[in-house]
Amino acid sequence: MSILKLSNISYQYDGANTKVLKNINFNFNQGKLYTIMGKSGSGKTTLLSIISGLDLATSGEVFWNEKNLKNISRDDYRGKGIGVIFQGYNLLTNATALENIILSMNISESKEIDKKQYALDLLKIVGINRETSDRKILKLSGGEQQRIGIARALSHNPDIIIADEPTGNLDFDTEENIMEILKNLAHNQNKCVIVVTHSKNVSKYADEVLGLTLGNLTKI
Amino acid sequence: MYILKNSIKNLFRNKGRNIIVAIIILSMLTFTAISMIIRNTTDNVIKSYKEQFGSEIYLRYDETKIKEDEKNGGWADIPEISDDIKIKLANSEYLKETMISVIFPSYAKDLKGLDQGKTESNSNIGTAPSGMEGYYEPNLTVYGYNTPDLLKDFKEGKRKITSGKMFTNNDECVVSEDFAKLNNLKLGDKINISDTTKSSEFPPLKLTIAGIYFDSTENKYGYISATTNPRNDIITTYETMKKYQENVAKKNLYTVSTTYYLKNPDMLKQFNKEAHEKGLHKNYMMSTDELSYNKIVKPAESLAKVSNIFLISVLIIGSIILILLSILSIRERKYEIGVLRAMGMKKGKVVRGILYESLITISVCLVIGLSIGAITAQPISDIITQNQQDQNSSFGGIQVNQEKINLSMSYKTVIDVSIIALLLAIISSSVGVLYILRYEPMKILSDRN
Ligand SMILES: Nc1ncnc2c1ncn2[C@@H]1O[C@H](COP(=O)(O)OP(=O)(O)OP(=O)(O)O)[C@@H](O)[C@H]1O
Ligand SMILES: [Mg+2]
């Protein structure tokens, strides 16, 4: 059984005259790391926002564990089913790194008893030390923000992890480190990990490499 | 719970913006509180005026009607109002009571009035009838009243019965201590009083002294004579005078004046209508004491009006600033909302968070605003009341016995101000809320990225 199934997904922005996504059909499975490659503007972020329930497809369906997203609460899906690492981070800029993670855990109704300790541990895994955890997002570098975004996506232990250029702002060593974490999540914790990237180096971690061209998603 | 905590943290995170918002709301609430205090005070002034004077109605010319007449050419018709009509109007169902009074300046040849004969020294005043051929100078004044209960001087303690009693039956009267002493009068004595015609053909009015009063009232007319000296006032019943005029003198000795007391000051309009239906000439009207009304109620009303306009402008301007501020901060807000929604927070909870923020801000402002209001209420009210009284007495108007209005912040004020605060909370958060309800989170976020 596929944890995530895309069925005839098409998408057209309001006011645009062509479709960004055309009739996409694809099944994503647990235990695998996928990368999606494609030129800038090919619709990768758009596709991810549909997969993550942040936006609705113009036509077609997304199934999560056989359940049509249209028929369930997409808030719950976002809060519990899926972890998203955004291209633009999307962190609360006036709050600290730690507050961002704990808030996300609260929204996801995390059962963790010591949320603060759990968040600090996660931040440590992505390379954010204690001192940095208490700084406001505004005062952190792009790379640091990106890693906090990763920690947040993992904080509620979702089955699906989606990452939009998660290593775009990171140096080579940190990139390797992050990709190891994501690969480990797929292979050892049976998560379904989908990573959008331009980097061949990132794609070498993939179990399956997909290409998005002219609105179609195909295996490479 | 975490929503509330996050809202509180958020307030501190966006200190700059929130302090501006708080200052605006605070000033709006403070102005609201102060203006409501002014309203309450002026309402009280008006109320206390109405309670004391508002139901006291006099018959007077209707200036506007008369001017109309004159404008339409020629003279206005201003007939004398007959005593009959005046008395007939006393039967109105709108009236609690009516005081009917007559004044009869008269002459008693066996008695001496205080200041009698002093008129010569005021010879430049030509109105005194002393020098007129065929007439005596009056040496006393008889007053007839339908009821002793409404006599103001007695009610206010300026006159007091010191021996005997107030007149109760016809042909009884009360005289002043000074007058009694001057004429060696005592209780039970009979006095004879005539009109001032030297060749009077009808018998004198015979009154029995039922009481003697102490008098501390003052000569109101500015010149000294027996007629103007209040110690020469002899007070009896209206009935006595009426009978004397109709049965004995058989000619007009006096004109009746009436003061009507409404059951309720608001009935003035109906009473006026009824009076005209019963035959009161159109150029007359029933009215309160215009002078004191203008001196007391008008300023209070205009003060209330000014403070209302002021309040409304403050509220409008403040609301506009609040809306502008929330539009200016919508970018931040929008992003924040987008992020929260992306993390899976439900719309309702996001709205709750924003409402909490507003409500906390408002509550803090409310507490401070009401405190400022409560502290300033009494001084402001005192100043207003004092002003009203100064203005009033400096114009020589009636002194309204305004009780010092004790204003603690009234229950109603607190509720009114709180309702306004709540509206402000809704205004200041509605813009953000509208956004959440309309868009998919991706739209909100991508607009920014
Ligand atoms: N809100 C929008 N309204 C209209 N068109 C949009 C909107 N957002 C994106 N697009 C267009 O849709 C197309 C796909 O955009 P998308 O962001 O999905 O590309 P991408 O593959 O993620 O690009 P990149 O690699 O640069 O991140 C682009 O041509 C873009 O201009
Ligand atoms: Mg993109």
Side-chain angles (χ1 to χ4, degrees):
Chain A
M1 184 193 84
S2 299
I3 186 155
L4 195 64
K5 196 171 135 193
L6 307 184
S7 164
N8 289 319
I9 295 290
S10 293
Y11 192 89
Q12 184 163 3
Y13 278 103
D14 292 341
N17 37 22
T18 54
K19 287 180 177 169
V20 183
L21 307 173
K22 294 170 191 159
N23 258 345
I24 291 177
N25 288 290
F26 201 87
N27 292 348
F28 294 96
N29 294 310
Q30 282 180 277
K32 277 194 170 181
L33 191 155
Y34 302 84
T35 57
I36 299 175
M37 301 188 72
K39 273 192 263 179
S40 179
S42 58
K44 303 183 296 293
T45 300
T46 309
L47 179 62
L48 289 193
S49 69
I50 291 166
I51 292 177
S52 56
L54 288 165
D55 208 346
L56 286 170
T58 313
S59 65
E61 265 88 42
V62 179
F63 293 91
W64 170 47
N65 287 327
E66 312 269 279
K67 283 171 291 194
N68 192 334
L69 282 196
K70 280 182 186 159
N71 302 331
I72 60 170
S73 153
R74 279 183 293 128
D75 294 319
D76 285 343
Y77 172 60
R78 283 199 299 273
K80 293 171 188 164
I82 193 165
V84 184
I85 300 156
F86 293 91
Q87 197 171 10
Y89 323 131
N90 289 344
L91 299 162
L92 292 176
T93 49
N94 275 328
T96 67
L98 185 61
E99 284 170 345
N100 265 279
I101 311 273
I102 293 178
L103 182 59
S104 168
M105 292 171 76
N106 278 325
I107 291 172
S108 307
E109 293 165 5
S110 159
K111 296 280 181 303
E112 221 46 67
I113 291 165
D114 190 347
K115 292 194 177 100
K116 185 174 168 188
Q117 194 51 52
Y118 183 84
L120 287 171
D121 290 346
L122 256 180
L123 285 165
K124 205 161 162 193
I125 293 172
V126 296
I128 300 293
N129 63 27
R130 182 63 234 252
E131 189 265 317
T132 317
S133 303
D134 284 330
R135 290 228 303 270
K136 285 195 171 182
I137 298 297
L138 271 180
K139 295 182 177 160
L140 297 175
S141 74
E144 286 165 332
Q145 292 188 36
Q146 196 150 36
R147 281 178 279 157
I148 292 158
I150 293 167
R152 183 180 64 183
L154 304 179
S155 68
H156 54 283
N157 196 23
D159 286 338
I160 306 168
I161 292 149
I162 285 184
D164 199 349
E165 302 266 7
T167 59
N169 268 315
L170 303 180
D171 58 88
F172 186 77
D173 284 349
T174 319
E175 177 177 287
E176 297 268 295
N177 176 19
I178 295 293
M179 285 317 294
E180 282 297 338
I181 294 171
L182 293 177
K183 193 176 90 179
N184 179 47
L185 284 168
H187 295 170
N188 298 331
Q189 294 188 41
N190 201 31
K191 309 281 183 196
C192 168
V193 182
I194 305 169
V195 180
V196 162
T197 182
H198 287 117
S199 153
K200 291 247 160 57
N201 186 52
V202 167
S203 275
K204 80 178 189 225
Y205 288 89
D207 299 305
E208 275 184 41
V209 180
L210 309 173
L212 187 59
T213 37
L214 300 170
N216 293 306
L217 188 66
T218 47
K219 283 190 195 178
I220 295 177
Chain B
M1 192 55 199
Y2 76 89
I3 299 176
L4 180 60
K5 266 191 200 154
N6 191 53
S7 297
I8 295 170
K9 278 187 183 161
N10 241 350
L11 286 173
F12 286 101
R13 285 175 196 148
N14 303 313
K15 255 184 267 145
R17 182 180 81 202
N18 288 322
I19 286 174
I20 298 176
V21 170
I23 288 173
I24 294 167
I25 293 178
L26 181 59
S27 34
M28 289 165 83
L29 289 183
T30 308
F31 279 126
T32 309
I34 291 177
S35 139
M36 282 179 177
I37 291 160
I38 294 178
R39 265 311 289 270
N40 285 348
T41 314
T42 52
D43 280 357
N44 264 322
V45 169
I46 294 169
K47 211 175 110 210
S48 74
Y49 171 84
K50 282 202 172 159
E51 271 166 13
Q52 290 177 66
F53 299 105
S55 24
E56 202 175 305
I57 303 299
Y58 303 91
L59 188 59
R60 60 179 64 246
Y61 299 129
D62 189 336
E63 300 285 350
T64 46
K65 287 268 164 59
I66 290 174
K67 282 206 182 98
E68 256 172 45
D69 272 8
E70 284 171 351
K71 232 170 55 195
N72 296 338
W75 298 99
D77 179 22
I78 311 173
E80 202 145 318
I81 302 295
S82 73
D83 292 349
D84 286 350
I85 285 195
K86 289 180 194 168
I87 289 163
K88 199 161 86 184
L89 294 178
N91 294 326
S92 168
E93 54 163 318
Y94 302 118
L95 297 177
K96 190 170 64 190
E97 55 202 349
T98 302
M99 185 166 82
I100 301 169
S101 61
V102 304
I103 304 177
F104 176 43
S106 41
Y107 179 74
K109 65 175 192 304
D110 312 331
L111 299 169
K112 246 179 107 52
L114 292 129
D115 291 333
Q116 185 174 342
K118 284 208 179 148
T119 328
E120 312 308 332
S121 53
N122 307 286
S123 56
N124 52 337
I125 292 151
T127 48
S130 56
M132 271 204 273
E133 199 65 36
Y135 290 96
Y136 295 110
E137 185 201 349
N139 59 358
L140 47 84
T141 312
V142 180
Y143 287 83
Y145 292 104
N146 62 329
T147 160
D149 300 339
L150 293 170
L151 298 182
K152 260 193 190 152
D153 291 336
F154 283 94
K155 251 171 39 183
E156 288 168 8
K158 289 178 193 156
R159 284 179 169 174
K160 214 188 277 161
I161 298 287
T162 47
S163 64
K165 55 180 179 52
M166 183 51 95
F167 58 83
T168 41
N169 303 317
N170 290 341
D171 303 324
E172 280 182 353
C173 72
V174 293
V175 300
S176 79
E177 284 176 350
D178 292 341
F179 186 81
K181 205 167 144 204
L182 183 67
N183 293 294
N184 280 323
L185 295 170
K186 53 185 192 312
L187 296 178
D189 282 358
K190 285 195 165 39
I191 50 177
N192 292 334
I193 302 166
S194 311
D195 75 335
T196 50
T197 355
K198 282 185 174 156
S199 57
S200 208
E201 310 101 24
F202 52 91
L205 171 68
K206 288 190 173 59
L207 296 175
T208 310
I209 298 176
I212 294 174
Y213 63 87
F214 158 79
D215 186 18
S216 68
T217 61
E218 282 169 26
N219 182 335
K220 293 181 212 105
Y221 302 93
Y223 70 95
I224 296 167
S225 74
T227 331
T228 56
N229 191 325
R231 313 281 184 273
N232 296 328
D233 291 355
I234 296 185
I235 310 170
T236 181
T237 67
Y238 165 67
E239 265 318 291
T240 308
M241 294 308 295
K242 191 179 166 201
K243 279 196 181 128
Y244 181 61
Q245 171 169 284
E246 284 172 5
N247 304 340
V248 183
K250 298 190 170 116
K251 73 172 207 182
N252 256 351
L253 300 174
Y254 55 78
T255 52
V256 167
S257 44
T258 41
T259 309
Y260 305 98
Y261 294 88
L262 291 173
K263 282 180 185 154
N264 175 339
D266 300 329
M267 292 176 167
L268 179 58
K269 232 185 172 151
Q270 290 115 293
F271 181 49
N272 244 308
K273 197 171 160 233
E274 188 194 299
H276 287 108
E277 281 166 4
K278 279 190 179 165
L280 181 63
H281 189 269
K282 73 169 177 57
N283 285 347
Y284 285 87
M285 64 178 190
M286 296 293 183
S287 143
T288 52
D289 182 348
E290 202 87 28
L291 195 74
S292 60
Y293 181 86
N294 287 342
K295 292 288 176 291
I296 299 163
V297 176
K298 282 264 174 69
E301 277 176 349
S302 61
L303 185 67
K305 218 188 221 165
V306 168
S307 94
N308 257 359
I309 293 172
F310 190 59
L311 171 65
I312 290 170
S313 347
V314 168
L315 287 182
I316 290 176
I317 294 170
S319 307
I320 291 173
I321 297 177
L322 277 184
I323 292 171
L324 284 181
L325 269 181
S326 54
I327 289 173
L328 283 180
S329 63
I330 195 68
R331 259 176 76 90
E332 278 168 68
R333 264 281 187 234
K334 225 166 116 181
Y335 174 67
E336 190 189 314
I337 292 164
V339 170
L340 292 174
R341 298 276 287 121
M343 287 197 271
M345 196 187 254
K346 291 186 165 54
K347 281 183 186 178
K349 289 186 174 169
V350 178
V351 175
R352 238 165 72 195
I354 290 175
L355 276 181
Y356 283 157
E357 280 184 43
S358 295
L359 287 177
I360 292 169
T361 313
I362 298 281
S363 309
V364 172
C365 294
L366 195 59
V367 170
I368 301 176
L370 286 177
S371 310
I372 296 178
I375 294 167
T376 49
Q378 198 62 57
I380 290 176
S381 150
D382 287 350
I383 291 168
I384 298 167
T385 314
Q386 192 54 49
N387 263 342
Q388 300 278 335
Q389 274 171 354
D390 287 354
Q391 215 160 0
N392 185 34
S393 49
S394 72
F395 281 101
I398 306 166
Q399 187 67 38
V400 180
N401 287 327
Q402 257 166 36
E403 285 170 49
K404 190 171 140 100
I405 301 158
N406 261 324
L407 276 181
S408 46
M409 180 76 62
S410 79
Y411 189 57
K412 189 175 168 296
T413 307
V414 173
I415 289 180
D416 286 352
V417 173
S418 303
I419 288 172
I420 288 180
L422 205 68
L423 287 177
L424 290 181
I426 292 169
I427 288 175
S428 62
S429 50
S430 59
V431 184
V433 171
L434 281 179
Y435 262 94
I436 310 161
L437 297 178
R438 280 174 54 191
Y439 297 116
E440 287 297 322
M442 200 56 204
K443 286 247 166 55
I444 305 175
L445 286 173
S446 68
D447 276 359
R448 185 227 189 214
N449 289 339

